[in-house]
Amino acid sequence: MGYHCYYLLLIYGLVGVSLAFSGVTHAIESDFGGQLSGWTIQYKNQDEWENNTGLRYIPFLTLTHSLDEDTFFDTELSINSYLATDENSDGEHGDIDIYRLWIRYGSPQLEIRAGLQKINFGSAILLRPLMWFDRIDPRDPLQLTEGVYGLLGRYYFLNNANVWIWALLGEDETKGWEIFPSEKDSLEFGGRVQIPLFNGEIAFSYHHRKVDPENQIYPGLLSSESSIPENRFGLDGKWDLGIGLWFEGTLIHQDQELSPLRYKRLINVGVDYTFDLGNGLNVVGEYFTIATSEDILASGEKISISAASVNYPLGLLDNITAIIFYDWDNQDWYRYLRWQREYDIWGFYLMGFWNPDEFNIYQNAQEKSPFAGKGLQLMIVFNH
């Protein structure tokens, strides 16, 4: 199960003892389900046609124990298991790992959750500067992402304002937009304050972590016992003015001597509108930039990407979605088209993509992107 899960077992034990001696006799409600998905991808990359076929199963178990009418404990355990074959690369490969493992205390205004969980927030849709702890790809119909080990507390005020506080365990794998991972087992911490503003909301976020110097470009220049402090500051807001408008930004500072480019800025501005055409045509547009520099406001090295998505429901069961990215610096187009039909327990997805052979949009991609090059993907999903 791994080192990070031992403290979860301790938490489960303490909660179990407290419930046993609480005198509360409410029944524990359980729910078991899962998602089985199979896919096949035929794509052309580097002038070679390749095929990737796979099967994934994510079962989950949730338990809920009501303390009274308004408060409860609940927990979720889910497993991510998959098997895939790629005829032109590394052959057959698969894995079985914990996908979610958390326990939560909840009340009308307070939530405390500990364990392996998903944490995400922000206003942007396609390119998110506040993608700090997840890797959700807007083109993925299943919206799968690895979780983080940590403790999250959220308090909701009656005026819809809310406060988040979290503490995470450092992982030796990247998350979000990170180029280099955190120092393993180090403490990361941060928080978020979100308040209503006119007919929308605005929020400020902060996070601190330590970067592992052994994973830097020049590892020999730094001691393996040292670490690089990193502070992130985020600001985002969203309003409905007849059309949806939002902005989202992150400022990252690394206190290191390896490079003079100690600051990184990620900024997104976006708009969306649903046109009264047929069943309703929804259009989203965003402009996204990443800049690294020596000073906070210096121009530095910059990457600019425009993104747009169009979504149209063909009927009660069918939907079609198109997503386009344009990399202004490399003058590259990224195109994606998806048709989907969804029933209560079945989902069918046919996806086509036409992209550069090297997928350079998401800097945190450690594995080969399934959408690199040109190709088609068929996916069938069964939920129970």
Side-chain angles (χ1 to χ4, degrees):
M1 183 176 296
Y3 171 81
H4 296 300
C5 291
Y6 286 120
Y7 84 101
L8 295 180
L9 296 178
L10 176 61
I11 293 174
Y12 273 82
L14 293 175
V15 171
V17 171
S18 65
L19 292 177
F21 288 94
S22 65
V24 180
T25 59
H26 292 80
I28 295 179
E29 300 180 359
S30 63
D31 181 27
F32 175 77
Q35 181 184 82
L36 177 66
S37 58
W39 69 88
T40 180
I41 307 175
Q42 191 75 30
Y43 60 99
K44 185 179 182 180
N45 189 282
Q46 302 292 349
D47 297 325
E48 292 186 7
W49 282 99
E50 302 182 21
N51 177 266
N52 179 284
T53 302
L55 192 67
R56 184 188 305 273
Y57 182 50
I58 303 179
F60 69 86
L61 173 66
T62 61
L63 301 173
T64 303
H65 182 92
S66 298
L67 302 177
D68 53 40
E69 293 183 356
D70 296 324
T71 61
F72 62 90
F73 276 108
D74 67 343
T75 183
E76 177 181 325
L77 167 63
S78 59
I79 305 295
N80 185 359
S81 58
Y82 76 92
L83 179 66
T85 60
D86 198 322
E87 60 184 11
N88 292 330
S89 59
D90 54 358
E92 185 176 288
H93 57 94
D95 195 12
I96 299 177
D97 203 356
I98 297 175
Y99 187 61
R100 300 287 184 264
L101 177 60
W102 52 258
I103 187 167
R104 173 176 59 177
Y105 168 81
S107 69
Q109 292 181 252
L110 176 65
E111 173 187 3
I112 301 174
R113 186 169 59 191
L116 179 58
Q117 57 188 293
K118 180 179 76 173
I119 301 178
N120 66 331
F121 44 80
S123 305
I125 297 175
L126 301 175
L127 293 165
R128 301 162 40 226
L130 287 173
M131 186 174 65
W132 287 359
F133 312 125
D134 67 87
R135 288 184 180 179
I136 297 177
D137 190 326
R139 297 159 304 174
D140 177 12
L142 304 184
Q143 296 291 277
L144 300 178
T145 182
E146 296 180 358
V148 292
Y149 287 93
L151 178 67
L152 170 67
R154 290 188 284 199
Y155 185 82
Y156 301 89
F157 296 89
L158 297 181
N159 66 345
N160 291 328
N162 54 82
V163 176
W164 305 35
I165 298 177
W166 58 75
L168 310 180
L169 283 177
E171 294 282 345
D172 55 2
E173 296 183 358
T174 59
K175 55 188 181 295
W177 290 98
E178 295 171 0
I179 301 298
F180 307 108
S182 301
E183 183 180 78
K184 187 173 178 60
D185 299 329
S186 62
L187 175 64
E188 304 183 23
F189 58 88
R192 175 176 171 87
V193 178
Q194 184 172 310
I195 59 174
L197 182 64
F198 305 118
N199 60 341
E201 59 192 24
I202 192 168
F204 173 78
S205 306
Y206 170 77
H207 184 70
H208 173 83
R209 73 175 183 125
K210 295 180 179 179
V211 174
D212 184 358
E214 292 185 345
N215 289 278
Q216 293 290 330
I217 298 176
Y218 307 107
L221 298 182
L222 293 172
S223 169
S224 60
E225 298 180 356
S226 64
S227 60
I228 299 175
E230 177 187 277
N231 292 291
R232 305 178 194 171
F233 305 89
L235 184 67
D236 67 289
K238 187 172 185 177
W239 294 270
D240 184 1
L241 304 176
I243 61 174
L245 295 173
W246 62 84
F247 76 91
E248 185 173 308
T250 291
L251 174 66
I252 302 174
H253 174 250
Q254 291 186 351
D255 188 10
Q256 48 92 7
E257 300 178 356
L258 188 63
S259 168
L261 303 178
R262 299 183 177 90
Y263 291 91
K264 177 180 290 186
R265 301 185 303 272
L266 298 85
I267 300 174
N268 175 298
V269 291
V271 59
D272 84 305
Y273 185 75
T274 300
F275 294 90
D276 187 15
L277 298 174
N279 297 320
L281 178 68
N282 178 256
V283 179
V284 174
E286 292 183 343
Y287 180 73
F288 174 81
T289 63
I290 300 179
T292 55
S293 61
E294 297 184 27
D295 300 312
I296 293 180
L297 300 178
S299 57
E301 301 176 2
K302 184 177 179 182
I303 299 173
S304 301
I305 301 173
S306 293
S309 72
V310 178
N311 181 273
Y312 183 76
L314 299 174
L316 295 177
L317 302 177
D318 298 279
N319 193 287
I320 189 167
T321 301
I323 300 177
I324 297 176
F325 300 98
Y326 182 69
D327 182 343
W328 291 92
D329 299 273
N330 297 307
Q331 298 183 343
D332 284 331
W333 288 94
Y334 296 79
R335 311 166 183 89
Y336 171 85
L337 181 66
R338 179 180 73 221
W339 165 82
Q340 65 187 62
R341 165 164 284 203
E342 293 187 336
Y343 299 94
D344 290 337
I345 60 175
W346 288 96
F348 300 89
Y349 306 88
L350 180 61
M351 294 163 275
F353 52 93
W354 182 9
N355 301 318
D357 291 336
E358 296 293 332
F359 203 90
N360 296 317
I361 289 183
Y362 295 110
Q363 293 181 329
N364 64 344
Q366 300 297 312
E367 300 177 355
K368 186 177 181 180
S369 171
F371 298 116
K374 308 172 182 66
L376 291 172
Q377 178 178 9
L378 174 65
M379 178 182 293
I380 301 176
V381 179
F382 173 70
N383 297 286
H384 68 87

